[in-house]
Amino acid sequence: MRIYEAKLSYLLVQEGPAVTVSNAASVVDYMRGGFDELPLAEAFYVIVLNRKNRPLGRHRVTVGTATAALAHPREVFRIAVVASASAIICVHNHPSGDPAPSAADAQITRLLREAGSTLEIPLLDHVIIGNPIDDPLARGYYSFREAGLL
């Protein structure tokens, strides 16, 4: 009989001054450089927050293709639970530059909101980062909270 043992460990590191991510623009600033490694692929991040909505860290949950980054509440909330987060903000990019949400983006946001409610770790926002040039609103990002959907 074989016995397998799995070990799960995470290291959360915060560098630099303590910042507060109080709106979508500050989330975009906090994520600066996060998508530079693979600019042609969608990447999905979770920012774990303490009680004062200050980031404990950011964690890349998944990297997808040029048109999709599959995320599941299980992977998103795993890091939140391990970090003892009080809340989370999810962020992903659209390599096309247009930050308008897709139907899949809206669906995962609903799933994450419901999972967060169950775990009592609220999803404060889901921000999609694009490019101001390709954004009809010229902001370069879309916020589900600012759109009134969270």
Side-chain angles (χ1 to χ4, degrees):
M1 176 192 291
R2 292 183 183 198
I3 298 174
Y4 295 94
E5 181 178 318
K7 181 178 179 182
L8 177 66
S9 69
Y10 283 93
L11 177 63
L12 294 174
V13 177
Q14 179 178 355
E15 296 180 354
V19 295
T20 301
V21 285
S22 55
N23 56 40
S26 62
V27 170
V28 172
D29 286 341
Y30 180 75
M31 290 303 300
R32 209 162 300 288
F35 302 101
D36 292 351
E37 184 181 348
L38 298 166
L40 300 179
E42 275 197 24
F44 194 98
Y45 280 84
V46 61
I47 301 171
V48 290
L49 305 169
N50 68 12
R51 293 181 313 131
K52 294 183 178 185
N53 289 342
R54 290 196 175 115
L56 297 167
R58 68 184 187 200
H59 177 75
R60 187 169 60 197
V61 175
T62 185
V63 174
T65 64
T67 59
L70 302 176
H72 189 278
R74 174 179 48 245
E75 284 79 27
V76 170
F77 283 97
R78 179 180 298 134
I79 187 66
V81 169
V82 169
S84 296
S86 294
I88 64 167
I89 296 173
C90 291
V91 185
H92 79 277
N93 66 320
H94 279 177
S96 70
D98 183 357
S102 66
D105 294 334
Q107 180 181 11
I108 190 62
T109 302
R110 280 192 300 276
L111 288 172
L112 292 169
R113 183 185 63 220
E114 292 168 10
S117 178
T118 300
L119 292 171
E120 297 182 359
I121 304 173
L123 172 65
L124 298 184
D125 202 350
H126 180 180
V127 178
I128 302 170
I129 297 176
N131 185 329
I133 295 169
D134 299 310
D135 182 0
L137 300 176
R139 295 187 325 167
Y141 65 86
Y142 177 89
S143 163
F144 280 86
R145 173 153 307 283
E146 289 179 4
L149 300 173
L150 273 178

